[in-house]
Amino acid sequence: MGRPGPSAYHRLNPLTKATVATVTAIAAVALGGVVGPIILAAAAVLSPALVAGVLGRLARLSLLLALPIALSAFIVNLFFFPGAEQVLLRIGPITATGEGLRFAIEILVRILAISGAVTLFYLTTRAGDLTVDLERRGVSSRVAFVANASVQTVPTMVERASLITDAQRARGLDTEGSMWRRIRGVVPIVGPVILGSIAEVEERTMALEARGFTRPGRRTLLWTPADSARQAAVRWGLVVGLLALIVARVTGVFG
Amino acid sequence: MTIALDGVGYRYAGATSPALLDIDLELRDGEVVGLAGASEAGKSTLCLVVSGLAPRTVGGQIRGRITLDGEDVDAWPMHRLSQRIAIGFQNPSTQLSQVTDSVFEEVAFGPMNLALPREEVAARTWAALETLRIDALAERDPRRLSGGQQQLVAIAGLLAMRPAHLVLDEPTAQLDPAGTHLVAEAITRLARDGVSILVAEQKVDLLAAICSRVFVLDGGRVVLDGWADEVLADRRLAEFGVMELSTVQLSRAAAASGVAGDRLERALHA
């Protein structure tokens, strides 16, 4: 029993997609260099995204997710690579180096591969599907709930922040204009968002208790995501492949 | 099947004064009992105490005796009580689990926790949705519904638990008149099926329509109790911060304007 999904990739078991994302992210780091992670990303991120019809959204979201850290890592490595000698450019006291540029590109490719893998999973998997699947495999319903609720909290808090922003604007708060004004405008919004969320926790806990959430033992699952022996084999294959890659890197087989 | 409170008092953790004092209350099979009172009179606290959440989840100190069908529930864990007593709160967003993708799953959340057979969970869920006439919302994302719709979903989630006793703390606070009417209908139907229901409400007209008895709280004490029609016609209601029934207000306004009572009666029934 599974829920219909818009594409074959969406319909894969959530654990399979989680395994693909995790293995891709770790392998991108383990592979090193530039070509390896690019081929990996093309095979494990871009191709499935094309099949799932989410390539455009994937590009936008993963860039947004990776941009701050990718940019800062790129700049730091480009200009401050320790022991670099091949000078490319001098800007005042700082120097861009060839070694720094190569390493910065490597880091950039890895970060993009990781954010792409994570974003693909997010775009093609409902949090509830993963937690139901984990519950079916024996994970405690409380652990599954906490994992699911943590993911679902983000959009709820974004919505709350938007409501509070509107309310504060209606009371004269200036959140537009210069960067300094925007930063100042964030302060009166952060407090109510966080405090409001904390205040709701008690009532939410009570509502869950009243609906039998703390009852010991397993609960009924109305449906479970589809799985197959082939997918299980793929998952194990990916894990074994990743372990082999790490061993090869550690022992120097890849140089 | 009866819930009985005998001399119950309750103090929140860290509070210097008690929130409830010497409450005697009995809730019998198929009976709907109303709770009225100003803000901070103790209505919500009494709902928490009757449901068992206070002090089990909320903390604090309780005294007196609470029995369920003659059995002292003092040592019962919350998950055991929740199979007999359900409680609904006024804020719909905090009552939804926030982890379900459809209204159907949200309503089924409670019965699933009780580990009922899958067919039973589905049957209860559809029955609860149909009772509140929200079966058309079954596939919708509960987080994308209006406040009123979310409240109906939350109440449906309680109905699906098939509790013997139901405690509702201002269940219609977010509802429009049509939604309020649906909840009133559902309460009446449940009572007819033998469920005992305690409803805390500011809407006294609703209490008059569905309750057989009403308790009025003030400062954590019961200051008026009795048959709903008698209590809700009591001239002291305003003293305790409770609005009078609209029919009582109308009668008084008519009398003040010199309109004869029988004429008003005829006009109302015309």
Side-chain angles (χ1 to χ4, degrees), chain B residues 220-233:
Chain B
R221 288 179 189 277
V222 175
V223 287
L224 289 174
D225 72 290
W227 299 113
D229 51 353
E230 290 171 9
V231 170
L232 295 174

Side-chain angles (χ1 to χ4, degrees), chain A residues 3-249:
Chain A
R3 291 201 280 201
S7 76
Y9 194 78
H10 283 86
R11 287 190 291 275
L12 284 178
N13 183 275
L15 191 61
T16 305
K17 288 181 277 183
T19 309
V20 169
T22 310
V23 168
T24 305
I26 298 172
V29 177
L31 271 172
V34 174
V35 179
I38 288 178
I39 293 171
L40 178 71
V45 179
L46 299 179
S47 306
L50 198 62
V51 171
V54 295
L55 193 56
R57 287 177 67 202
L58 175 92
R60 278 194 303 277
L61 275 175
S62 57
L63 278 177
L64 267 176
L65 184 71
L67 215 56
I69 188 164
L71 263 182
S72 49
F74 189 87
I75 290 167
V76 166
N77 283 298
L78 178 63
F79 290 105
F80 305 102
F81 193 80
E85 290 170 358
Q86 189 189 348
V87 176
L88 294 177
L89 177 75
R90 280 186 202 281
I91 307 169
I94 55 173
T95 310
T97 62
E99 293 91 335
L101 179 65
R102 274 189 293 280
F103 191 69
I105 290 171
E106 276 186 31
I107 293 287
L108 188 67
V109 168
R110 285 180 199 173
I111 291 172
L112 288 176
I114 293 169
S115 77
V118 172
T119 309
L120 177 65
F121 175 72
Y122 172 76
L123 287 177
T124 56
T125 314
R126 285 190 276 208
D129 293 4
L130 178 65
T131 49
V132 164
D133 195 55
L134 291 175
E135 247 185 284
R136 176 172 65 107
R137 293 173 199 276
V139 171
S140 123
S141 57
R142 288 191 199 195
V143 172
F145 180 87
V146 169
N148 196 346
S150 309
V151 175
Q152 307 283 8
T153 298
V154 177
T156 308
M157 284 186 81
V158 168
E159 206 167 298
R160 180 193 290 273
S162 163
L163 283 173
I164 290 170
T165 306
D166 289 345
Q168 303 286 47
R169 273 185 185 156
R171 292 158 66 194
L173 179 74
D174 187 4
T175 56
E176 286 166 349
S178 70
M179 185 61 82
W180 173 238
R181 275 190 175 175
R182 283 168 191 244
I183 291 169
R184 267 196 327 186
V186 167
V187 177
I189 292 163
V190 170
V193 169
I194 293 172
L195 291 177
S197 301
I198 292 169
E200 278 190 355
V201 167
E202 189 181 27
E203 197 164 302
R204 200 181 301 287
T205 306
M206 290 194 291
L208 288 172
E209 287 252 35
R211 295 172 78 188
F213 183 68
T214 52
R215 180 188 159 277
R218 299 188 72 79
R219 64 190 201 117
T220 308
L221 297 176
L222 284 182
W223 61 276
T224 46
D227 199 8
S228 62
R230 192 189 292 178
Q231 285 194 56
V234 169
R235 288 194 294 267
W236 281 112
L238 286 170
V239 172
V240 170
L242 177 68
L243 288 175
L245 172 68
I246 292 169
V247 169
R249 287 290 292 175

